[in-house]
Amino acid sequence: MIIPSAPALLAWYDRHRRTLPWRAQAGQVADPYHVWLSEIMLQQTTVKAVIPYYQAFLERFPTIEALAQAERDSVLAAWAGLGYYSRARNLHACAQAVAERGGFPQDVAGLKTLPGIGAYTAAAVAAIAFGVPVVPVDGNVERITARLSNTHEPLPAARPLLSRLAAELNTQPQAQARPSDFAQALFDLGASLCSPRTPACGLCPWQESCAAHAAGTAAELPRKAPKAVRPTRHGVHFLAMDSAGQVLLRRRPDTGLLAAMTELPGTDWRPTPWAEAEALAHAPAPAAWRVAGPVRHVFTHFTLELVVYAGQVPQFSNQQVAEGFLLPPAQARKAALPSVMLKCLATGLKALA
């Protein structure tokens, strides 16, 4: 692979850099809390989706100390809707670790010791916030590197090779002198010109060094191995409302998928559908249950098909409340409900309206 011109990329970045709420202005020092928070939120999530969550999160937790001191349920509630909820739990644990030690470590190795920070996030925070001359390798950088080198081996098998090649991109003095800008320039190049489906090679500052452009294969790269068929799981959840208009909710276990999040009571999620009589055995209280409707939600590794039942309960027993908690619908929507449970809540409430 020909090492492309760092000055050309940085000159392009100086003209076309994106304005993002977590990004420091030219000549200013980045806030490590802002950089870290944005990088965690951006995992598996688009910039467009993250921006309003990021802004609302900072209003609620303006400093890492405020985040560290917050109750975990408050953090989960602020995160609700972003998905991949282990990120929120690790975010809270990491904030507590950073607050305890008095600040973030300023090197890759130290950052990797913190909860929820892997190789990519450690490199991104080190480069952007602390000026460490390292290349963070995300999907954008993988795509750029695969095209520069015209690598046809499919992902994920090609990742070790692409990481080694990407590490060479910042070896020129100009890149070493501006590690924060160089890392962000790579992200912006991949997010704009070197896009997945229709790369704008004619505008790219690295066109002359790109082996895939020369070979006419840029739009085909990086190649990806065929995806495995996503399995389907099935479950049933119950929207139970008492005469005071309160909804019965419960907390999921502290481990596993959607750990510690809030949900409507229901069955396990399994490979086969639930017969009605079998499902109603899991109802949280006696009621004239009726089918409110289906809910479909796609997770990374499986598709979830749910049936929501709705029913009115005159009054919940002390035991039923002890196993969960009651909230009016307006407050329930603001609790730590993941997206799938917000769908279930809306479906059940519509049936009871």
Side-chain angles (χ1 to χ4, degrees):
M1 181 180 73
I2 299 172
I3 304 301
S5 168
L9 177 65
L10 289 166
W12 171 85
Y13 176 70
D14 290 339
R15 293 192 302 271
H16 302 290
R17 59 181 286 156
R18 291 178 293 175
T19 299
L20 300 171
W22 48 82
R23 182 172 283 180
Q25 297 296 318
Q28 295 182 346
V29 177
D31 185 321
Y33 174 48
H34 295 177
V35 174
W36 163 72
L37 177 61
S38 68
E39 289 296 340
I40 299 299
M41 286 188 166
L42 287 166
Q43 293 170 10
Q44 308 290 334
T45 311
T46 65
V47 168
K48 183 179 179 180
V50 161
I51 287 175
Y53 278 95
Y54 171 84
Q55 293 170 328
F57 204 93
L58 271 189
E59 288 180 9
R60 194 164 181 174
F61 311 110
T63 65
I64 198 162
E65 290 78 17
L67 178 57
Q69 293 166 10
E71 295 292 331
R72 186 178 67 169
D73 284 354
S74 297
V75 178
L76 291 174
W79 193 274
L82 265 177
Y84 301 92
Y85 294 98
S86 61
R87 294 182 298 171
R89 296 190 296 275
N90 285 330
L91 190 86
H92 191 220
C94 185
Q96 292 175 328
V98 171
E100 185 177 349
R101 73 187 306 278
F104 282 95
Q106 298 188 17
D107 62 297
V108 173
L111 287 163
K112 285 170 68 175
T113 66
L114 296 173
I117 295 188
Y120 162 74
T121 304
V125 174
I128 298 169
F130 301 118
V132 178
V134 62
V135 176
V137 183
D138 69 347
N140 286 318
V141 177
E142 281 185 344
R143 184 168 59 256
I144 292 167
T145 308
R147 290 170 175 172
L148 287 170
S149 61
N150 200 27
T151 295
H152 286 249
E153 183 182 6
L155 295 171
R159 286 207 166 107
L161 170 62
L162 295 177
S163 291
R164 290 195 298 273
L165 293 174
E168 301 175 12
L169 294 176
N170 72 338
T171 52
Q172 296 170 357
Q174 296 85 350
Q176 294 281 307
R178 296 176 60 184
S180 177
D181 287 342
F182 189 81
Q184 292 175 102
L186 286 172
F187 299 158
D188 283 12
L189 184 67
S192 57
L193 303 184
C194 199
S195 57
R197 293 179 180 83
T198 54
C201 297
L203 301 174
C204 181
W206 280 357
Q207 177 195 132
E208 294 181 359
S209 303
C210 183
H213 173 67
T217 59
E220 304 170 18
L221 301 177
R223 297 189 187 280
K224 295 182 180 179
K227 290 185 178 180
V229 176
R230 184 184 282 118
T232 299
R233 297 183 189 174
H234 301 267
V236 173
H237 286 272
F238 298 89
L239 189 286
M241 180 181 287
D242 65 13
S243 57
Q246 298 188 103
V247 173
L248 181 63
L249 301 168
R250 70 182 183 188
R251 199 172 314 285
R252 290 178 63 84
D254 284 339
T255 58
L257 184 65
L258 304 181
M261 299 296 289
T262 303
E263 68 173 0
L264 299 180
T267 67
D268 293 335
W269 300 342
R270 69 184 192 185
T272 56
W274 292 78
E276 182 172 282
E278 187 184 17
L280 290 177
H282 293 265
W289 295 106
R290 63 182 187 271
V291 174
V295 166
R296 185 175 187 270
H297 192 81
V298 179
F299 290 96
T300 304
H301 301 298
F302 68 95
T303 298
L304 181 62
E305 300 280 358
L306 298 176
V307 177
V308 178
Y309 283 76
Q312 295 277 1
V313 178
Q315 185 176 359
F316 292 106
S317 69
N318 291 336
Q319 180 180 352
Q320 290 159 353
V321 175
E323 294 172 355
F325 55 96
L326 300 174
L327 284 178
Q331 292 185 31
R333 293 188 185 97
K334 298 177 182 179
L337 265 71
S339 297
V340 62
M341 286 300 136
L342 286 172
K343 294 178 186 178
C344 291
L345 179 67
T347 300
L349 291 174
K350 184 176 181 181
L352 293 180

